[in-house]
Amino acid sequence: VQLQASGGGLVQAGDSLRLSCAASGRTISNRAMGWFRQAPGKEREFVAAKNWGGGIIYYADSVKGRFTFSRDDAKNTVYLQMNSLKPEDTALYYCVAARGRVIVGSIRNRSMYDYWGQGTQVTVSS
Protein backbone atom coordinates (compact mmCIF):
# COMPACT_ATOMS: atom_id res chain seq x y z
CA VAL A 1 0.00 0.00 0.00
CA GLN A 2 1.35 3.40 -0.98
CA LEU A 3 0.07 6.34 1.03
CA GLN A 4 0.14 9.94 -0.14
CA ALA A 5 -0.77 12.54 2.45
CA SER A 6 -1.64 16.13 1.62
CA GLY A 7 -3.33 19.19 3.05
CA GLY A 8 -0.74 20.42 5.51
CA GLY A 9 0.29 24.03 5.73
CA LEU A 10 1.02 27.07 7.86
CA VAL A 11 -1.96 28.38 9.81
CA GLN A 12 -2.67 30.49 12.85
CA ALA A 13 -3.87 29.23 16.20
CA GLY A 14 -7.60 28.60 16.08
CA ASP A 15 -7.65 27.83 12.36
CA SER A 16 -8.62 24.57 10.71
CA LEU A 17 -6.98 22.22 8.26
CA ARG A 18 -8.10 19.05 6.57
CA LEU A 19 -5.52 16.40 5.81
CA SER A 20 -6.15 13.78 3.17
CA CYS A 21 -4.41 10.50 2.55
CA ALA A 22 -4.91 8.70 -0.72
CA ALA A 23 -3.96 5.04 -0.77
CA SER A 24 -2.93 3.16 -3.88
CA GLY A 25 -1.78 -0.30 -4.71
CA ARG A 26 -4.22 -2.12 -2.45
CA THR A 27 -7.55 -1.48 -0.89
CA ILE A 28 -7.85 0.03 2.56
CA SER A 29 -11.29 -1.49 3.10
CA ASN A 30 -9.95 -4.38 5.19
CA ARG A 31 -7.30 -2.46 7.14
CA ALA A 32 -7.01 -0.30 10.16
CA MET A 33 -6.07 3.24 9.11
CA GLY A 34 -4.81 6.13 11.14
CA TRP A 35 -2.64 9.17 11.68
CA PHE A 36 0.48 9.73 13.72
CA ARG A 37 2.54 12.88 14.13
CA GLN A 38 6.04 13.84 15.08
CA ALA A 39 7.13 17.22 16.35
CA PRO A 40 10.77 18.30 16.24
CA GLY A 41 12.76 16.68 19.01
CA LYS A 42 9.86 14.48 20.07
CA GLU A 43 8.85 10.91 19.52
CA ARG A 44 6.26 9.98 16.95
CA GLU A 45 2.86 9.88 18.63
CA PHE A 46 -0.57 8.49 17.92
CA VAL A 47 -3.27 10.90 16.75
CA ALA A 48 -6.29 8.90 15.57
CA ALA A 49 -7.22 5.56 14.05
CA LYS A 50 -10.09 3.29 13.14
CA ASN A 51 -10.41 -0.32 12.13
CA TRP A 52 -12.32 -1.21 8.99
CA GLY A 53 -16.05 -1.68 9.17
CA GLY A 54 -18.06 -0.47 12.12
CA GLY A 55 -16.66 0.51 15.45
CA ILE A 56 -15.41 3.53 17.24
CA ILE A 57 -12.70 5.96 16.29
CA TYR A 58 -9.80 6.26 18.68
CA TYR A 59 -8.15 9.60 19.42
CA ALA A 60 -5.25 10.85 21.44
CA ASP A 61 -6.47 12.79 24.45
CA SER A 62 -4.64 15.87 23.19
CA VAL A 63 -6.80 16.08 20.04
CA LYS A 64 -10.11 14.68 21.25
CA GLY A 65 -12.95 17.09 20.53
CA ARG A 66 -10.89 19.06 18.00
CA PHE A 67 -9.85 16.50 15.40
CA THR A 68 -12.13 14.22 13.42
CA PHE A 69 -10.94 11.13 11.62
CA SER A 70 -12.91 9.73 8.72
CA ARG A 71 -12.42 7.17 6.01
CA ASP A 72 -13.98 6.70 2.60
CA ASP A 73 -13.17 3.15 1.61
CA ALA A 74 -14.81 3.59 -1.77
CA LYS A 75 -12.27 6.32 -2.54
CA ASN A 76 -9.44 4.52 -0.75
CA THR A 77 -8.88 7.69 1.22
CA VAL A 78 -8.78 8.76 4.83
CA TYR A 79 -9.06 12.24 6.26
CA LEU A 80 -8.19 14.17 9.38
CA GLN A 81 -10.23 17.30 10.00
CA MET A 82 -8.34 19.47 12.44
CA ASN A 83 -10.16 22.34 14.14
CA SER A 84 -9.11 24.81 16.81
CA LEU A 85 -5.49 24.19 16.02
CA LYS A 86 -2.88 25.00 18.63
CA PRO A 87 0.85 25.68 18.32
CA GLU A 88 1.49 22.34 20.03
CA ASP A 89 -0.18 20.62 17.07
CA THR A 90 2.79 21.62 14.94
CA ALA A 91 4.29 18.42 13.57
CA LEU A 92 4.83 16.22 10.56
CA TYR A 93 1.65 14.20 10.16
CA TYR A 94 1.86 10.64 8.87
CA CYS A 95 -0.91 8.57 7.39
CA VAL A 96 -0.63 4.88 8.32
CA ALA A 97 -2.16 1.59 7.32
CA ALA A 98 -2.09 -1.80 8.96
CA ARG A 99 -2.08 -5.18 7.23
CA GLY A 100 -5.57 -5.84 8.54
CA ARG A 101 -7.59 -5.32 11.68
CA VAL A 102 -5.71 -4.15 14.75
CA ILE A 103 -6.78 -5.28 18.20
CA VAL A 104 -8.24 -2.44 20.18
CA GLY A 105 -5.62 -2.59 22.88
CA SER A 106 -2.86 -2.00 20.35
CA ILE A 107 -4.47 0.46 17.97
CA ARG A 108 -2.41 3.33 19.37
CA ASN A 109 0.82 1.39 18.95
CA ARG A 110 2.83 2.54 15.95
CA SER A 111 4.36 -0.92 15.50
CA MET A 112 0.91 -2.17 14.43
CA TYR A 113 1.12 -0.19 11.20
CA ASP A 114 3.21 -1.54 8.36
CA TYR A 115 2.64 1.19 5.83
CA TRP A 116 3.52 4.85 6.34
CA GLY A 117 3.08 7.84 4.08
CA GLN A 118 5.75 10.47 3.57
CA GLY A 119 4.16 12.93 5.96
CA THR A 120 2.64 16.35 5.53
CA GLN A 121 3.82 19.30 7.59
CA VAL A 122 1.40 21.21 9.78
CA THR A 123 2.68 24.41 11.37
CA VAL A 124 0.51 26.42 13.73
CA SER A 125 1.66 29.89 14.70
CA SER A 126 0.56 31.60 17.89
Side-chain angles (χ1 to χ4, degrees):
V1 179
Q2 290 80 47
L3 303 171
Q4 181 71 43
S6 61
L10 172 62
V11 296
Q12 292 187 332
D15 285 350
S16 299
L17 278 176
R18 188 192 195 205
L19 305 184
S20 298
C21 174
S24 60
R26 295 192 178 184
T27 181
I28 68 168
S29 62
N30 58 355
R31 305 172 189 276
M33 299 292 296
W35 294 89
F36 282 71
R37 68 186 183 185
Q38 187 168 19
K42 295 187 177 181
E43 291 191 358
R44 201 166 293 187
E45 64 175 5
F46 171 81
V47 176
K50 183 182 183 299
N51 272 307
W52 60 272
I56 67 173
I57 301 171
Y58 299 88
Y59 294 98
D61 288 343
S62 59
V63 307
K64 201 172 294 183
R66 301 186 298 120
F67 290 11
T68 302
F69 174 90
S70 61
R71 56 187 294 166
D72 186 337
D73 289 354
K75 295 183 177 180
N76 234 30
T77 301
V78 299
Y79 306 94
L80 186 68
Q81 176 67 43
M82 305 186 295
N83 298 331
S84 302
L85 282 161
K86 304 176 180 179
E88 51 263 44
D89 295 318
T90 295
L92 190 60
Y93 283 71
Y94 295 93
C95 174
V96 298
R99 290 185 182 274
R101 179 175 291 274
V102 175
I103 60 173
V104 170
S106 297
I107 204 163
R108 293 177 174 83
N109 189 335
R110 62 186 182 185
S111 67
M112 294 292 104
Y113 300 92
D114 296 284
Y115 305 98
W116 292 70
Q118 85 289 0
T120 185
Q121 180 67 38
V122 173
T123 303
V124 185
S125 62
S126 57

